[in-house]
Amino acid sequence: MLAAHPEVAFATATTSTANLNASIDVPNAQLFYRYLTESVATLPGPRHTATAPIHRTLKGPGPYLPVMV
């Protein structure tokens, strides 16, 4: 069910302590919160979630060039 959500870019089942991992693609933190509290919270099965937001893109359509500081 989770993999069918339009916000889910990638989902996988694992054998670690987290049995399910998903990459979610939303434009901002507010929509991420809404997705977790409205869409994920209503799914049967998951008892809790752990999130690790990434707020920048490291890989895109061109080569990755590190920013020189």
Side-chain angles (χ1 to χ4, degrees):
M1 287 190 233
L2 182 69
H5 292 179
E7 297 88 354
V8 177
F10 177 78
T12 184
T14 67
T15 58
S16 68
T17 56
N19 297 1
L20 181 65
N21 290 306
S23 295
I24 310 303
D25 186 18
V26 290
N28 58 49
Q30 290 81 11
L31 291 176
F32 181 61
Y33 178 78
R34 180 181 295 169
Y35 175 71
L36 287 177
T37 58
E38 294 177 8
S39 298
V40 176
T42 61
L43 289 173
R47 293 184 212 155
H48 65 275
T49 63
T51 60
I54 298 172
H55 297 281
R56 62 185 176 138
T57 300
L58 294 178
K59 187 172 181 181
Y64 173 69
L65 301 174
V67 177
M68 297 294 183
V69 181

